[in-house]
Amino acid sequence: MNRLRSYRFGPRAVALVGTYVPRRCGIATFTADLLTHLSEESDELQFWALAMNDTPEGYHYPPEVHFEINEKVLTEYRLAADFLNINQVNTVCVQHEYGIYGGPYGGHLLELLRRLRMPIVTTLHTVLQNPNEAQRTILQELARLSDRLVVMSNKAIELLETVYGVSRSKVVMIPHGIPDLPFVDPNFYKDQFGVEGRKVILTFGLVSPGKGLEYMIQALPKVVKRHPDATYIILGATHPHVKREQGESYRLSLHRLARDLKVEDHVIFHNRFVDLRELCEFLGAADIYVTPYLNREQIVSGTLAYALGAGKAIISTPYWYAEEMLAEGRGVLVPFRDPDALAEQVIYLLDNEVERHAMRKRAYTFARDMVWKQVARKYLEVFAEVRAERARHPRPVFQAPTLQDAPVEIPEIRLDHLRRLTDDTGMFQHAKFTVPDRQHGYCTDDNARALIAVTLAAEQMAETWELSRLGTIYLGFLYHAFNPAVGRFRNFMSYERQWLEREGSDDSHARAIWSLGVVVKHTKDPDICALAVNLFDQALPALLEMPSPRAWAIGLAGIHAYLHRFTGDSEARRVRERLAHRLFELYRQNATEDWPWVEDIVAYDNGKIPQALLVAGQELQREDMVQAGLRSLRWLLDIQTDPAGHFVPIGNQGWYRRGGVRARFDQQPLEAQSMLEACIEAYNVTGDRTWLREARRLVEWFLGRNDRGESLYDYRTGGCRDGLTPTGVNENQGAESTLALLLSLLQFSTVADRHTPTVRGALLETETTV
């Protein structure tokens, strides 16, 4: 939920969009420094920030932050755009890095920018030389929406022109800002850090494996042998995202390395985030500054810019920004991952004081145009230019989006009822109203669906730890459910944790495989992935023994997700091909012009069958299979649509037999969910937005566009009522219905985020349904 302060500024205000202190990341520091110095250099404009949050609770921001966005919640980007437009902000200055915005490759940001009516100036902190198609298209769209792109190196200008097709006239080079520091003797500050009389080598910044610090530590034995008074200071806290996922494992590995090499007396770690004053003092104390980074495609480095501004002798690996900044003798470049070369250059500079000081002076002189005072003035010039250009060539008059223009609004995804139905064993099958019904225990079917739901939610919601906890419970249930003696999953478990069968239904087994495939595709946790792969491999052969086309289809969904990560798994590919051919052959044998279906009855979870034909046909390059999927899906939609236009799922009181009358009730949420997923897959395969409109209609069935005109979604709990009967909704909120709703919202919100054609086409290359 966005949190909004009471300040309102008009056309004299400039809003900076990005992360902001006290959040610990380089862009947050950059945004805060830029805002501070813009304010100092302009008497005419007021500056404030719109901050991106990576946690639901946000941060304790200073007063210049007037609006906050949960990075994963698309609706909040739209609200931010409304806030900026209504308050007639003069200019918006965006700090862009793919990883700080929500959606695939940070695509949520585009939703905000498309709605703005004022000039946009975007600072690019990353420009990739080899982007995937989605990354390329998002940056191209960002360039189209922006009046000017600011970059911090000439290499970035070259890449924008050659890789992204951006005109040079739209790009301006403004260097990374730095504090205006005096050129001082390093010995002046050494006593306050306990290194008086020692030669200090420094690296600072948030610590993460990509920084290559281990190579400088590996260089130390040779350095210390020549200069026993040398000390390497590593200044900075572990990057919050690294710490969240890996703890302090990288830092501790550096500790062990230093001890193993017997240089622990020559390494000092300061595991903290320091303020600007203290950072400048640390820089002042350094004789040599080192950036042994591992990524050549780094287009900017704030730490390197600061070291230049402090007049340090710098040794660096040859990433792009370092190559440009350290040219003409302003520093020394050494190969990546080469501790011997690092040691050689450190020794050379410590041996040659005259050369070291000459290098310092060249760096300090070069960096005078990079001080924040000069940088802020250049930004102000750009802001004035784009405002003048807009005055000469105004864009179409801004109009508030009507309902027809507005993106589809769906309820906020809430997990309250999911949590309520979950204990430390797994998810209960049933509920009496909203209260878990322990009498019926648990089942693999629902725990598999729940595992899919929390896995997908982790990419859209900020409750990462809670989603991980729930996912571990559901995966643990599946692990316990698998019976290796028969190679099958059991399905039903009593509340007393007793299995009620030796093996479960074909459907439950297939759903477990589906959920494992989704986990393998999406998880970033290597342990979770390893367990999911292990279970997937053991369970896969049983699919070939099953006679159920529905189980084949559900299993194909899991195999498709699994192969997204492990494309070369030959056994999974063989099983996919055999199941797909079986399903298609069944369709060919059974389908007629007026009954394009795989069997003589339309029963439950029907959308899974056309979805499987579409996915498999696309992957196997079988156009006939794809067309069969599209035809059967279109037929299912036709027979399940009321003349009034709303969706009417086949009722479970008799289903629909060939030549018979279709049952109207009871209507199950599962059918709406499976049909929605099939429609999204049809859209992914064809690009035809008709399928998106059908998917929207299926979401609306949950929300009240149905036979009874009643909402199955419970806005209080985030749960879903168990179905639609002739007399109204079934008020119980069990697992299957709640998960059908959650999966529908999660899937639809993902595809709805891709409504702009230029971005949509690129994302289709990298994103598919589960």
Side-chain angles (χ1 to χ4, degrees):
M1 183 68 66
N2 69 75
R3 292 182 295 164
L4 155 67
R5 300 175 189 268
S6 59
Y7 300 87
R8 299 288 188 274
F9 293 130
R12 297 173 67 84
V14 173
L16 277 65
V17 178
T19 54
Y20 206 84
V21 294
R23 181 171 170 180
R24 295 182 174 182
C25 80
I27 293 179
T29 302
F30 181 94
T31 309
D33 287 342
L34 178 59
L35 188 150
T36 297
H37 290 87
L38 285 170
S39 300
E40 290 176 355
E41 294 303 314
S42 175
D43 295 328
E44 298 179 357
L45 297 171
Q46 296 171 310
F47 301 89
W48 54 271
L50 188 155
M52 305 303 306
N53 288 332
D54 59 347
T55 61
E57 63 274 14
Y59 298 86
H60 294 293
Y61 289 113
E64 63 267 22
V65 174
H66 296 157
F67 200 95
E68 302 172 40
I69 295 178
N70 182 329
E71 66 179 40
K72 294 189 176 184
V73 180
L74 183 64
T75 303
E76 298 198 10
Y77 291 81
R78 297 168 185 153
L79 293 174
D82 291 343
F83 177 73
L84 293 166
N85 286 332
I86 290 169
N87 287 285
Q88 301 179 354
V89 168
N90 177 295
T91 305
V92 168
C93 181
V94 177
Q95 307 307 310
H96 182 260
E97 161 68 54
Y98 290 106
I100 67 173
Y101 300 101
Y105 306 102
H108 282 2
L109 173 65
L110 301 179
E111 179 67 14
L112 187 160
L113 301 186
R114 288 188 199 107
R115 293 167 162 249
L116 296 181
R117 61 190 184 205
M118 68 288 295
I120 300 168
V121 175
T122 299
T123 302
L124 300 178
H125 293 260
T126 294
V127 182
L128 300 173
Q129 184 175 33
N130 298 299
N132 63 37
E133 195 58 32
Q135 291 167 330
R136 183 201 312 275
T137 308
I138 283 175
L139 190 54
Q140 288 171 332
E141 177 73 353
L142 186 64
R144 185 186 71 81
L145 294 168
S146 301
D147 296 76
R148 201 76 86 242
L149 297 177
V150 175
V151 297
M152 293 175 261
S153 66
N154 290 306
K155 178 70 174 180
I157 298 176
E158 173 194 327
L159 291 175
L160 285 173
E161 185 174 37
T162 59
V163 178
Y164 300 90
V166 177
S167 170
R168 283 182 179 245
S169 63
K170 200 165 195 176
V171 185
V172 60
M173 213 287 271
I174 302 179
H176 192 296
I178 58 173
D180 192 358
L181 301 175
F183 189 80
V184 298
D185 185 337
N187 294 313
F188 182 79
Y189 288 110
K190 288 182 179 179
D191 59 335
Q192 71 189 68
F193 300 119
V195 290
E196 189 172 11
R198 309 183 86 174
K199 296 183 176 70
V200 175
I201 306 160
L202 174 68
T203 298
F204 84 86
L206 293 171
V207 173
S208 65
K211 296 298 178 68
L213 305 179
E214 61 270 28
Y215 295 100
M216 186 59 234
I217 293 176
Q218 290 170 16
L220 279 179
K222 288 185 177 180
V223 173
V224 169
K225 183 177 180 180
R226 180 64 175 264
H227 293 276
D229 56 349
T231 296
Y232 182 35
I233 296 177
I234 298 174
L235 172 65
T238 298
H239 195 291
H241 290 176
V242 172
K243 189 170 183 178
R244 193 177 301 152
E245 295 184 7
Q246 303 173 22
E248 293 286 3
S249 59
Y250 178 61
R251 184 184 296 275
L252 293 175
S253 74
L254 298 178
H255 291 186
R256 290 193 297 273
L257 178 63
R259 293 191 185 97
D260 291 345
L261 296 175
K262 300 187 179 352
V263 292
E264 65 267 35
D265 290 344
H266 299 270
V267 182
I268 298 173
F269 285 87
H270 289 278
N271 184 9
R272 55 198 176 88
F273 196 82
V274 297
D275 62 24
L276 179 62
R277 179 193 59 79
E278 192 174 10
L279 171 59
C280 293
E281 292 172 353
F282 268 106
L283 275 169
D287 295 286
I288 295 175
Y289 186 77
V290 177
T291 60
Y293 301 166
L294 306 181
N295 178 19
R296 177 169 177 75
E297 293 193 14
Q298 186 161 338
I299 205 71
V300 67
S301 167
T303 62
L304 182 63
Y306 275 43
L308 275 168
K312 296 290 103 179
I314 301 171
I315 301 172
S316 177
T317 49
Y319 54 92
W320 290 333
Y321 189 67
E323 285 182 322
E324 192 167 316
M325 292 297 106
L326 301 184
E328 300 177 351
R330 295 186 291 269
V332 178
L333 298 176
V334 297
F336 293 104
R337 297 178 170 85
D338 192 337
D340 291 335
L342 275 168
E344 179 184 339
Q345 291 302 323
V346 170
I347 291 168
Y348 173 78
L349 288 177
L350 292 179
D351 283 349
N352 295 275
E353 187 172 356
V354 173
E355 172 56 25
R356 188 168 79 247
H357 286 299
M359 184 183 292
R360 290 185 60 209
K361 289 178 182 177
R362 288 192 290 269
Y364 187 80
T365 302
F366 173 80
R368 290 311 85 205
D369 287 339
M370 298 169 62
V371 296
W372 274 116
K373 184 185 187 74
Q374 301 301 327
V375 167
R377 289 176 177 177
K378 290 176 181 176
Y379 269 93
L380 289 171
E381 290 173 4
V382 172
F383 297 160
E385 287 174 8
V386 296
R387 289 299 300 178
E389 289 172 8
R390 282 286 188 102
R392 291 194 300 271
H393 307 288
R395 296 190 180 183
V397 176
F398 172 79
Q399 293 182 335
T402 64
L403 183 60
Q404 179 180 351
D405 301 323
V408 178
E409 296 284 353
I410 62 173
E412 180 181 356
I413 296 169
R414 297 180 57 185
L415 303 179
D416 305 48
H417 194 54
L418 180 78
R419 294 189 190 95
R420 181 182 288 122
L421 290 177
T422 302
D423 66 6
D424 59 358
T425 298
M427 189 172 191
F428 292 107
Q429 287 189 75
H430 297 294
K432 198 65 176 175
F433 298 100
T434 60
V435 178
D437 184 353
R438 291 168 172 79
Q439 180 178 348
H440 294 93
Y442 318 85
C443 70
T444 291
D445 263 327
D446 292 333
N447 280 274
R449 293 186 185 103
L451 180 57
I452 295 171
V454 296
T455 300
L456 298 182
E459 301 195 345
Q460 298 187 37
M461 304 176 70
E463 303 171 57
T464 310
W465 183 89
E466 174 66 0
L467 291 166
S468 176
R469 183 188 71 83
L470 290 167
T472 302
I473 290 172
Y474 306 137
L475 182 58
F477 186 94
L478 296 186
Y479 177 68
H480 189 39
F482 188 71
N483 184 352
V486 295
R488 293 284 297 258
F489 288 95
R490 293 164 285 214
N491 193 17
F492 295 112
M493 174 191 275
S494 71
Y495 180 59
E496 292 74 28
R497 297 187 181 181
Q498 299 297 314
W499 288 109
L500 304 179
E501 59 201 350
R502 190 163 180 260
E503 62 183 66
S505 67
D506 291 354
D507 283 4
S508 66
H509 186 91
R511 284 197 183 93
I513 287 177
W514 177 27
S515 69
L516 295 169
V518 171
V519 170
V520 170
K521 175 182 175 180
H522 291 279
T523 187
K524 297 179 177 63
D525 186 322
D527 297 321
I528 296 296
C529 185
L531 177 56
V533 168
N534 180 268
L535 280 175
F536 184 92
D537 288 344
Q538 293 183 72
L540 189 62
L543 275 178
L544 294 173
E545 301 169 5
M546 297 175 182
S548 165
R550 198 161 276 95
W552 305 340
I554 297 169
L556 281 167
I559 296 170
H560 176 66
Y562 172 88
L563 287 173
H564 191 276
R565 185 164 189 165
F566 296 115
T567 311
D569 189 321
S570 299
E571 182 59 22
R573 292 164 68 97
R574 279 191 288 270
V575 173
R576 176 181 66 185
E577 186 169 0
R578 291 177 65 183
L579 292 178
H581 285 157
R582 282 187 197 174
L583 190 62
F584 181 61
E585 187 60 27
L586 194 62
Y587 174 86
R588 288 181 64 250
Q589 293 172 5
N590 203 65
T592 62
E593 187 66 30
D594 61 348
W595 188 269
W597 194 232
V598 297
E599 51 191 357
D600 290 334
I601 184 172
V602 180
Y604 61 93
D605 210 1
N606 297 299
K608 272 286 175 282
I609 289 172
Q611 181 185 356
L613 289 169
L614 289 166
V615 166
Q618 183 86 336
E619 293 300 320
L620 298 175
Q621 298 184 1
R622 288 283 303 274
E623 182 60 24
D624 54 348
M625 203 175 284
V626 170
Q627 290 304 317
L630 293 172
R631 184 182 172 207
S632 59
L633 178 57
R634 182 70 265 167
W635 178 72
L636 285 173
L637 286 166
D638 289 345
I639 65 172
Q640 297 183 100
T641 296
D642 186 86
H646 61 265
F647 181 62
V648 184
I650 298 292
N652 66 3
Q653 301 300 313
W655 306 120
Y656 180 28
R657 294 188 177 276
R658 193 196 300 245
V661 178
R662 64 182 300 280
R664 191 84 178 191
F665 295 100
D666 292 349
Q667 299 174 19
Q668 301 296 301
L670 175 63
E671 183 63 13
Q673 175 221 329
S674 71
M675 290 293 292
L676 178 141
E677 291 178 356
C679 287
I680 291 175
E681 198 59 59
Y683 166 63
N684 287 340
V685 169
T686 66
D688 184 349
R689 291 173 66 83
T690 300
W691 298 110
L692 280 189
R693 289 192 288 273
E694 295 289 4
R696 174 177 184 163
R697 192 162 62 92
L698 292 158
V699 171
E700 291 171 342
W701 179 84
F702 288 98
L703 306 180
R705 191 183 176 194
N706 52 47
D707 272 350
R708 300 292 306 175
E710 298 181 48
S711 176
L712 283 83
Y713 176 55
D714 186 337
Y715 288 82
R716 301 169 304 130
T717 67
C720 180
R721 298 174 176 92
D722 276 352
L724 207 60
T725 75
T727 58
V729 296
N730 180 336
E731 293 291 349
N732 297 328
Q733 297 181 22
E736 182 182 285
S737 56
T738 293
L739 291 166
L741 169 77
L742 287 174
L743 288 170
S744 297
L745 295 182
L746 287 163
Q747 292 274 29
F748 187 73
S749 64
T750 299
V751 75
D753 294 351
R754 306 188 253 137
H755 63 278
T756 295
T758 54
V759 178
R760 182 185 71 239
L763 290 174
L764 291 180
E765 300 294 326
T766 51
E767 299 291 321
T768 61
T769 60
V770 299

